[in-house]
Amino acid sequence: NAGVTQTPKFQVLKTGQSMTLQCAQDMNHNSMYWYRQDPGMGLRLIYYSASEGTTDKGEVPNGYNVSRLNKREFSLRLESAAPSQTSVYFCASIGRGSEQPQHFGDGTRLSIL
Amino acid sequence: AQSVAQPEDQVNVAEGNPLTVKCTYSVSGNPYLFWYVQYPNRGLQFLLKYITGDNLVKGSYGFEAEFNKSQTSFHLKKPSALVSDSALYFCAVRAYSGTYKYIFGTGTRLKVLA
């Protein structure tokens, strides 16, 4: 019963390095989301994908890119990491139906030095 | 602007006492409201939701929430707190601006003292 799986769980990068965070869900959900969680700021939406083949910017998209590889997978890429991107990143998915709750992965803890 | 506010960063309550975690919202149209709980080093887990109907909603682990339209509030409650309820709680509202998105509050840390 995997749900939403995120890899890696932890990562340390140097400023300027690039990295892709992976997310996969096995619930046949249409919509997927990437959030970042920072102390005192709750969850902020980076990008989302309402369905396979579509992606849109959220509240804080600068410095990130995404790919909806197929219905299962939604990746987040940092092209040139900056210390301000140190955060915990969560992927979420949601099934069909506007009243459904989101299902979250356990997060990727990313530190940029 | 559509928003969610959790006015308390932390709530402390003694084990066995009732607990309340507050949430107010601002959204156009009928609100879809959610509560999630986050334990250390884990993702958010769904607790309960209000879509329509009875203003008192029951959810997982003995939690319930009361929807109050006039006060635009959706407070999370539990009659008798457990030490194991200690966690970070998030209120969220579904908002529509071309597509559905979910706006989260800043979170309230609940500490249940033995």
Side-chain angles (χ1 to χ4, degrees):
Chain A
N1 213 12
V4 179
T5 303
Q6 292 184 237
T7 55
K9 294 189 186 305
F10 303 94
Q11 186 70 47
V12 178
L13 294 177
K14 294 180 179 178
T15 297
Q17 287 185 315
S18 61
M19 165 144 199
T20 299
L21 280 59
Q22 307 286 353
C23 174
Q25 53 88 11
D26 61 1
M27 297 170 283
N28 200 36
H29 286 172
N30 289 321
S31 300
M32 299 184 72
Y33 304 77
W34 275 106
Y35 296 92
R36 59 178 289 173
Q37 182 181 19
D38 300 292
M41 303 191 75
L43 273 72
R44 292 182 292 169
L45 182 64
I46 305 171
Y47 270 93
Y48 65 99
S49 171
S51 61
E52 185 179 355
T54 68
T55 61
D56 285 288
K57 295 178 180 179
E59 182 185 354
V60 288
N62 291 346
Y64 306 95
N65 285 301
V66 290
S67 295
R68 183 74 182 266
L69 305 170
N70 47 56
K71 193 171 186 179
R72 290 186 66 248
E73 297 171 289
F74 188 38
S75 62
L76 178 72
R77 183 161 178 84
L78 287 70
E79 290 291 352
S80 179
S84 60
Q85 295 177 305
T86 292
S87 187
V88 183
Y89 291 86
F90 287 99
C91 177
S93 69
I94 190 168
R96 206 178 276 276
S98 58
E99 75 282 4
Q100 297 302 314
Q102 292 183 305
H103 295 254
F104 285 82
D106 282 339
T108 294
R109 284 145 187 85
L110 185 61
S111 292
I112 316 293
L113 304 177
Chain B
Q2 304 185 97
S3 63
V4 173
Q6 292 182 245
E8 300 154 319
D9 290 335
Q10 181 159 321
V11 170
N12 296 326
V13 63
E15 188 175 30
N17 282 2
L19 69 88
T20 298
V21 182
K22 296 179 180 177
C23 172
T24 59
Y25 65 91
S26 173
V27 64
S28 54
N30 292 323
Y32 284 17
L33 296 154
F34 302 83
W35 275 102
Y36 293 85
V37 59
Q38 184 182 33
Y39 298 103
N41 299 315
R42 299 298 304 274
L44 278 67
Q45 298 175 34
F46 169 70
L47 274 181
L48 51 80
K49 65 183 178 185
Y50 172 82
I51 305 300
T52 187
D54 194 347
N55 289 344
L56 186 64
V57 178
K58 294 189 184 297
S60 306
Y61 312 121
F63 283 93
E64 55 191 29
E66 187 169 11
F67 171 68
N68 188 316
K69 188 172 184 178
S70 63
Q71 296 186 4
T72 61
S73 67
F74 188 54
H75 300 332
L76 182 69
K77 300 182 179 187
K78 188 173 183 182
S80 179
L82 300 172
V83 172
S84 57
D85 292 330
S86 298
L88 188 57
Y89 290 82
F90 288 96
C91 181
V93 65
R94 189 199 68 168
Y96 185 80
S97 57
T99 188
Y100 290 114
K101 298 176 195 174
Y102 296 81
I103 301 171
F104 287 83
T106 52
T108 298
R109 188 163 300 281
L110 174 66
K111 195 168 185 179
V112 181
L113 308 169

